[in-house]
Every structure is written in structure tokens, then in C-alpha cells.
Amino acid sequence: MATHRFDPNFTENVISAMGPKTSPRLRQLMTGLIQHVHDFARENELTVDEWMAGVKMLNWAGQMSDDKRNEGQLVCDVIGLESLVDEITFKLAEEAKDAPTATAILGPFFRADTPYRENGADIVVTKPKDGEMAFMHGQVMDFVTKKPLVGATVEVWQASTNGLYEQQDDDQVEFNLRGKFKTDADGRYYFYCLRPTPYPVPNDGPAGKMLELMDRHPFRPAHIHIIATYDGYRPLTTQIFDRKDKYLDNDSVFAVKDSLVVDFVERKDDPQAGLELKYDVKLVKDEAQNGV
């Protein structure tokens, strides 16, 4: 007769405690989560001190988070969870034969209150001495028909050359290196920005501490964040990465996809920028919004 070191019925009792009003999807998710967490604890014979260290880490992440920084999300990033969820989401769309421009993680420094700017604006309000200026432009279009989407919103944000986003740096003006743009009559957006540079994940919170404990480097490759939206279409959240960056194959949050690697090229006869980046965005219709 088989013997058990731990109560063999405990996990099932916890799962069975969910009541009949639990939605099917929540029941599925919570059943899997409880099962995996309990199995993890048993397999590793998790101690009270180790469990409490994990609780303190979660509490620390929550205490650090606000509308300008999501530390809990950053913890998920450094263990690859957000990038894995992004991969799953994109794969499902790809299998349905409606995969648009490749997606990437939102990241912890998104701001929902970023203002709109006019096409052609310079988002580098606080200019670093070592920054390389670039003119970024492209077209937002329907993934299937390739027709331009007029009035689509393209939101961008990036870190400065010191590795800090504006909300982390008192020396940058608010909303520096951020902007929302509406596409013109040809579906085009365009603005001036910095050629992005690599930077480390902040080491002042639990995400940075985890990287240190796991003996991993903290660097993210140079990238620009993009969110593109248009009524009746699925919103797109992505990042684009400079092909010349040395961390492309070793991103600390595992977010790089080959199709998101871009090339900055020389821009001539423009006193505002010596580099240029063309990047088109393809969106797919949202079947739910369109009643399909």
C-alpha cells in the first residue's frame, strides 16, 4: 500500500472548496494554479522561512508600484512570465491566420496619461549630450487589405541614454521621450526620437534583487515601446529592437523576437536627425467588436 509523506487529499480539498458560482474559466485557472503551487511546495519541501520570503517579495513589489511603475509586472518580466504569455497570445493569433505585427511585453513603465503630440514633433524634450537623434516614421494599415488606417493612434515611449524613463529621473521633464500620435490621411505617423540604448532593470526593488540572487545580468537591449490602436481593430502592444545591440540574444526579460529587430539608417539633409527608422504597423480587425 502506497504511503504519503504529506496529506494526499489536501490539494483536492482546496480546489473543491470553490463554489458553484465560480465561472468556468476562473475555475480552470485557479485549479491549475493551486495544483502547480502545491506541487511546487511539496516537491521542493518549501520551508516557512522560504515561503515568507516570497510573501515579502510580493508585498515589496506592491508597495513600490504606482501609476508610473509596475514592479509586480517587472518581477513577472525577469522570470519570463510576461514574455511567455505574450508568446502564447501571438501564437494563437498566428494559428488563426490573423497574426499582425508581432507583439511584445508592455513593460512596467507605461503611462496611461501620455499626451498627444503633432506628427513631426520631437519627443526628446530633455536632450542628453550623448544621444543620437532619429526620425521615426511609418504607416498603420489593415493587415489583410494593406489599406492605410486614417486616425489610428500610435503611442511610443523609451528610456533616455542614462537608462532611465522620465518618471525615474528628476532631471527629465515629465513625459519626456513619450508621445501619442494620430495617423494622417495616408495612415502615416512620424516624429523625432532617440536611437535607443541598452539599460539595466532597476536594482532598487524585488525584480533587481531576484536577478542578483540568480546571478543574472540585468540588461535590456535597446528598444522603443509602441502601442497602436484603431476602432474596430485589436490593439497592438510591441517593442522594436536595434539590430546592433549586443543584448539581443540575452535580454533580461526574454522579449526579443526576430521580426521586431530593426535597422537605423543614415538620414541626409535633416539638421534635426542623422538617423532614420521606418516601421510599419499592421492591425487586424477585432471580430468581437465587429459582431463576427
Side-chain angles (χ1 to χ4, degrees), residues 9 70 74 143 197 223 230:
N9 301 313
N70 190 328
L74 189 56
F143 173 68
T197 51
H223 63 279
Y230 189 72

Side-chain angles (χ1 to χ4, degrees), residues 140 148-153 183 228-235 283-284 289:
V140 180
L149 299 179
V150 179
T153 295
T183 56
T229 57
Y230 189 72
D231 286 345
Y233 286 73
R234 296 180 196 165
L283 300 180
V284 295
Q289 287 190 42

Side-chain angles (χ1 to χ4, degrees), residues 91-263:
K91 178 59 68 174
L92 291 174
E94 193 175 50
E95 290 172 348
K97 301 187 185 304
D98 60 359
T101 302
T103 55
I105 63 175
L106 178 68
F109 296 107
F110 167 73
R111 291 190 63 171
D113 54 349
T114 294
Y116 279 93
R117 303 182 189 271
E118 294 294 326
N119 276 313
D122 183 352
I123 68 171
V124 194
V125 184
T126 303
K127 287 188 164 48
K129 294 180 180 179
D130 57 348
E132 290 185 88
M133 291 294 296
F135 181 73
M136 181 171 170
H137 63 102
Q139 190 175 41
V140 180
M141 63 186 74
D142 183 291
F143 173 68
V144 176
T145 67
K146 305 301 185 289
K147 291 183 178 179
L149 299 179
V150 179
T153 295
V154 177
E155 181 170 357
V156 298
W157 67 103
Q158 62 178 146
S160 191
T161 55
N162 63 359
L164 299 175
Y165 290 87
E166 50 87 14
Q167 67 264 57
Q168 300 173 275
D169 186 0
D170 292 338
D171 291 332
Q172 295 183 49
V173 300
E174 191 167 27
F175 301 115
N176 185 49
L177 295 168
R178 295 177 184 271
K180 289 180 180 176
F181 300 88
K182 288 284 189 181
T183 56
D184 63 16
D186 296 315
R188 298 190 178 279
Y189 71 92
Y190 45 98
F191 59 90
Y192 289 91
C193 63
L194 289 177
R195 183 178 197 161
T197 51
Y199 64 83
V201 168
N203 63 1
D204 58 344
K209 184 64 175 179
M210 287 178 62
L211 287 173
E212 179 184 334
L213 291 171
M214 292 187 290
D215 191 27
R216 285 174 45 195
H217 81 77
F219 280 91
R220 295 228 53 216
H223 63 279
I224 298 174
H225 293 265
I226 300 173
I227 293 179
T229 57
Y230 189 72
D231 286 345
Y233 286 73
R234 296 180 196 165
L236 174 74
T237 300
T238 195
Q239 300 177 23
I240 51 176
F241 300 88
D242 188 342
R243 190 178 306 279
K244 293 186 177 180
D245 192 276
K246 65 180 181 179
Y247 292 106
L248 285 180
D249 296 325
N250 196 14
D251 181 5
S252 63
V253 304
F254 312 99
V256 179
K257 296 183 177 77
D258 289 344
S259 63
L260 297 178
V261 177
V262 298
D263 293 292

Side-chain angles (χ1 to χ4, degrees), residues 40-104:
F40 168 82
R42 282 187 289 261
E43 289 168 7
N44 292 281
E45 297 186 359
L46 194 67
T47 68
V48 170
D49 287 345
E50 290 166 339
W51 164 72
M52 185 52 69
V55 171
K56 289 180 179 178
M57 183 199 70
L58 293 175
N59 290 341
W60 186 12
Q63 290 158 1
M64 290 191 68
S65 297
D66 55 26
D67 60 352
K68 295 182 179 180
R69 173 174 175 173
N70 190 328
E71 186 69 17
Q73 190 170 2
L74 189 56
V75 170
C76 292
D77 289 348
V78 300
I79 62 172
L81 181 57
E82 188 176 4
S83 289
L84 175 58
V85 172
D86 173 68
E87 180 191 12
I88 293 167
T89 302
F90 186 71
K91 178 59 68 174
L92 291 174
E94 193 175 50
E95 290 172 348
K97 301 187 185 304
D98 60 359
T101 302
T103 55

